Amino acid sequence: MRRRRKAYAQAGVDVDLGNAIKSGLKEMLSRTRRAEVLGDVGGFGGLFRAKFEGYEEPVLVASMDGVGTKLKIASAMGRYRGVGMDLVNHCVNDIAVLGAEPLFFLDYIGVGRLRRKMFQEIMEGLTRACREAGCALLGGETAQMPGVYDAENFDLVGTIVGVVERRKIVDGSHIEAGDVLIGLPSSGLHTNGYSLVRKILFQDHKFKLKQRVLNSSKPLGEILLEPHKSYLREIRLLMSIAEVKGMAHITGGGLVDNLPRVLPKGLCARIELGTWEVPEIFKLLIRIGNLDQSEAFQAFNMGIGIVVVVSPEDEKLVLGELTGSRRIGEVVRSQMRKPRVILI
C-alpha cells in the first residue's frame, strides 16, 4: 500500500527530506572544527570557548553578508559549490581588513524547494572555504519557505565572528597624505554587480551562459561564477612585514564607495587609472552596457579586490612580497571634509 504524503510536505515543506539531506552534516562540519568548539552539531546553538590565548585585550569582530543575485547564475548553471565559497570568503575579507582572525561562521540557506544536489554542493563550498580560513563552521539554518521563494530560487547569507588584538585594529585612523594605495587583484566579479551584469548580458544582449566570449577557453557562465577570492593569507603576510595603515574590501559600491570608509576626514584617495590591467569581462560590460567610468567603478571592483594603505617607505617591500599587487594611487589632502575617491 502506497504511503500517504504528510500534510506539511504537501504544503511544500518536507521535514523528512530535510532531515535526510542534512544527515551527513556532522561529518562535513567536523572538517572545520577548532579546539575552541564545544558540544556537537545539532544543538539549539553553537558553543565556542571564549579563551583567546596570546591576546592581551581581544576584541571580537563580526560581519554579515550574502551572495546576492550571483545565485541566479548558479541556479541557471546548476552549480552551487562556488557560491558557498563566495559567502565565506566575502565575510572573511570583511573582518580581515580590520586585522581580525576568523573564529567561527554561521550560514543561512532559504529555499522554496529543498534539493539534495544544491544543498550538498553549497555545504561543500562552505566547509572548504572555512577549512582554508581556519574558521569553524559552527552551525546554521536551512529554511524551507514555499511562497517566499519559488521552487528554483534561494538565498544564501552568512555571519562570521573573528578576533583582533585591540592595539592592532586596522581602522585607517593613522592614514595621512602621501601614503600609498596598493591594489590586490580580484579573481573576477566576486559577489557584487550581478543585477547589472544580468541585465546587460542576458536581458539587453541575449548572451547565453554556455557561450564563449572574450577569447576565453571558459564559457561565460563559468567566468561569472569564478569564486570570490579570500585575501586572508596576503593580509596575514602584510601585517607581519609592514605597518598596514588601512585596508578596504572592494565589494558593493566598488572603489568609489569602499575606499572612503577607511579614510580620515580631510583626505581623499587619488586612483591612477592604467596602473593595473582591468580584466576583459569588465571592459565588455562597460562597452556593451554603455556605462560611464564613474558608474563602472561604483558597480564593479574593476579587477581590484583589496586596497591596502601603507607609508611610502613600505611600498617596495609590500609590492615585492605580494604577487600581482600594484601601486594604484595615493592619499592626498582634500578641501572637502568628507573623504572621497578621485579617478585620474
Side-chain angles (χ1 to χ4, degrees), residues 99-230:
E101 282 287 328
L103 294 174
F104 60 84
F105 189 84
L106 300 164
D107 69 274
Y108 165 83
I109 305 172
V111 299
R113 177 171 63 89
L114 192 58
R115 289 168 284 162
R116 188 181 298 272
K117 176 180 182 290
M118 177 190 74
F119 181 82
Q120 182 73 21
E121 288 190 5
I122 290 172
M123 294 308 303
E124 287 173 0
L126 292 173
T127 53
R128 175 180 168 180
C130 280
R131 191 168 65 249
E132 289 175 352
C135 181
L137 184 50
L138 200 57
E141 163 69 357
T142 303
Q144 299 181 60
M145 297 196 293
V148 174
Y149 304 103
D150 66 30
E152 299 306 315
N153 285 328
F154 67 103
D155 203 3
L156 183 59
V157 180
T159 297
I160 193 167
V161 174
V163 64
V164 62
E165 185 71 66
R166 184 168 182 172
R167 61 183 172 82
K168 294 183 178 180
I169 294 173
V170 182
D171 61 4
S173 59
H174 299 297
I175 293 175
E176 56 190 356
D179 284 339
V180 176
L181 304 173
I182 293 177
L184 278 61
S186 68
S187 56
L189 286 151
H190 283 182
T191 51
N192 56 284
Y194 277 84
S195 294
L196 180 57
V197 169
R198 288 167 45 242
K199 180 182 184 299
I200 292 172
L201 294 179
F202 307 121
Q203 184 178 323
D204 296 344
H205 291 277
K206 312 303 179 186
F207 278 81
K208 304 297 181 186
L209 287 167
K210 294 183 179 181
Q211 185 174 340
R212 307 276 177 178
V213 297
L214 309 172
N215 297 317
S216 173
S217 59
K218 294 181 179 179
L220 179 59
E222 287 190 23
I223 294 172
L224 298 180
L225 284 182
E226 185 67 35
H228 195 130
K229 177 177 169 58
S230 168

Side-chain angles (χ1 to χ4, degrees), residues 61-73:
V61 184
S63 185
M64 183 177 187
D65 222 309
V67 178
T69 60
K70 187 174 185 177
L71 298 176
K72 299 284 285 185
I73 309 294

Side-chain angles (χ1 to χ4, degrees), residues 221-240:
E222 287 190 23
I223 294 172
L224 298 180
L225 284 182
E226 185 67 35
H228 195 130
K229 177 177 169 58
S230 168
Y231 295 91
L232 184 60
R233 183 189 65 81
E234 289 90 339
I235 290 172
R236 284 170 174 163
L237 174 60
L238 270 172
M239 295 188 67
S240 71

Side-chain angles (χ1 to χ4, degrees), residues 36-61:
E36 302 95 331
V37 176
L38 306 176
D40 224 333
V41 177
F44 288 100
L47 301 171
F48 194 93
R49 183 170 56 94
K51 184 178 180 181
F52 307 112
E53 295 177 1
Y55 289 83
E56 296 175 7
E57 193 175 0
V59 175
L60 294 179
V61 184

Side-chain angles (χ1 to χ4, degrees), residues 73 76 125 157 222 245 255 265 294 296 298 329:
I73 309 294
V157 180
E222 287 190 23
K245 294 188 173 185
L255 285 160
K265 292 178 181 178
S294 60
Q298 189 176 40

